[in-house]
Amino acid sequence: MLARVIGALLGVSTLLAGLLIWQFANGPLSLTFLAPYVQDALAENTPGYEWEFEQTILDWSEERRALVISLSGVRLIDTSGAVVAQVPHADIGLSATSLLQGRMALTSLEFDGPSVTLLRTEDGRFRLGITVLAGMPEQKAGTDFSALTGRVFAGLLAPPEQKGRASVFTDFAARNVTMTYRDFRLGTTWEASGAEFFFHRTDQGIAGEASVAIRIADQVWSLAVTGTFLQADQEIQLDIAFADVEPFRIAGEAEMLQPLAHLKLPISGTVGLGLMADGQLQRVKANLHSGAGEIDMPDFMPEPVKVDSLELIGQYELAANMARLDRAHFKYGPLEITASGSAEYGVDSPAVQISGDVINAQVELVKKLWPIPVAKGSRGGFVNNMDSGLISQTHFVVDIPSGVIGAGPLPDNFIKAELQFSDVSGHYLRPMPPIE
């Protein structure tokens, strides 16, 4: 008897499985009855918000080789009843273990096609806002979306040993994102479309990556972003990689960006940002290198400087107001300049310590490269009296204490250099013949 019952159950199960497969072969399966359970599971992970959607569909993803619950026409509603966000499409993953226990718990959440605004406030903090979408009231344009994303990331950080639904939530993603970046410090607005964001729970916190193509002036900057949030330290580290961007093209975007007009060369590399959990910037690291071009700084250099390649590695600590140059390398033809050092930043008269070496410098090129405000007496003597030749090697040390820069002519004793000359022609006392 028992064998017959088991056989019947297996037969029915096989028949239902066959019907389910047949249904998937004919398209997605609508599961409207699941909507309330999905809404509860989403609300559990985002306290203070309710979720509405037009359709709930069970589908088979060829890419993931798994069953996916897809939601369309998703709307997020805050406690006041206002719609704060709309997403055309979202996919959710569910914990099989939780389903066997009679409850619905999210393992993943993926938005497709959202529109968001990333804001940088006057005090340097970052937050997420909402781009105005069709059907949304205009007054919601400045709604702070950070609270909602904070709920999602809190779900990613929930300890796995907790019995709550958030404890199995491991992945959050957003695809095909239309994004607007508004910087209230710079007074700029930049846009991107087709952006991708992925976040994953780790043992230490959250790891993420993103790809963004930002339209800036008449150029598209393709950025690859990786990041981590360390829960124990409450710190965020973002590394932004890019290739062949031309800074001078965005100089007209804001007054603070105008110095970039001097850099007429393609730059590639990585910029790292260290932030606290509240979005406050703590440090900036950079590892940059350039292609051929020129640097035009008329107040600092007598004429534009040609560049074959330029490398800069350093960091800036905001709390210490200190910029550190780990390595700088400049090359143009046979000329090479390397340097390292540090300087105070954000003060009226900073302390500066830099040392380095110059090799294979033609006298004519040194005249172009010697900065106008540096050691004016020595510079004047060199420019006026040296005609030609090669400075095969130079070692220089700059040690300027605080309070000196801007207080008058820079004394020569703060800059020391040892030079080795060859085949030099110059004047000791004009109009006497040159010395060779």
Side-chain angles (χ1 to χ4, degrees), residues 34-43 51 53 56 69 71 92 94 104 106:
L34 276 181
Y37 301 99
V38 175
Q39 287 173 323
D40 288 345
L42 289 167
W51 296 68
F53 28 87
T56 308
I69 293 182
L71 312 175
I92 64 172
L94 300 176
M104 186 175 289
L106 267 66

Side-chain angles (χ1 to χ4, degrees), residues 313-351:
I313 302 174
Q315 65 176 322
Y316 168 46
E317 296 283 347
L318 276 72
N321 287 326
M322 181 63 67
R324 190 180 76 226
L325 180 64
D326 297 316
R327 171 178 165 80
H329 181 256
F330 169 91
K331 190 175 189 308
Y332 178 63
L335 171 67
E336 293 190 50
I337 303 174
T338 58
S340 61
S342 62
E344 292 178 309
Y345 187 84
V347 297
D348 292 335
S349 184

Side-chain angles (χ1 to χ4, degrees), residues 347-360:
V347 297
D348 292 335
S349 184
V352 178
Q353 291 86 36
I354 299 177
S355 62
D357 297 278
V358 183
I359 61 174
N360 300 324

Side-chain angles (χ1 to χ4, degrees), residues 69-82:
I69 293 182
S70 297
L71 312 175
S72 62
V74 181
R75 305 196 312 164
L76 280 75
I77 302 170
D78 63 17
T79 54
S80 69

Side-chain angles (χ1 to χ4, degrees), residues 13-129:
S13 298
T14 302
L15 179 60
L16 290 175
L19 290 172
L20 189 62
I21 292 172
W22 174 80
Q23 177 63 52
F24 280 128
N26 288 276
L29 180 61
S30 178
L31 296 175
T32 305
F33 72 91
L34 276 181
Y37 301 99
V38 175
Q39 287 173 323
D40 288 345
L42 289 167
E44 182 75 18
N45 286 273
T46 55
Y49 296 89
E50 294 183 0
W51 296 68
E52 293 182 353
F53 28 87
E54 297 172 358
Q55 198 170 21
T56 308
I57 296 174
L58 187 63
D59 199 1
W60 175 263
S61 170
E62 288 293 339
E63 293 182 0
R64 303 179 194 177
R65 306 297 296 175
L67 289 174
V68 177
I69 293 182
S70 297
L71 312 175
S72 62
V74 181
R75 305 196 312 164
L76 280 75
I77 302 170
D78 63 17
T79 54
S80 69
V83 176
V84 297
Q86 294 184 122
V87 181
H89 183 88
D91 290 341
I92 64 172
L94 300 176
S95 167
T97 302
S98 296
L99 287 174
L100 292 175
Q101 295 172 351
R103 58 190 180 89
M104 186 175 289
L106 267 66
T107 59
S108 63
L109 173 62
E110 180 180 302
F111 292 146
D112 189 357
S115 297
V116 299
T117 301
L118 178 62
L119 307 175
R120 185 185 182 219
T121 59
E122 290 283 358
D123 62 2
R125 286 179 167 83
F126 291 88
R127 69 178 179 89
L128 284 172

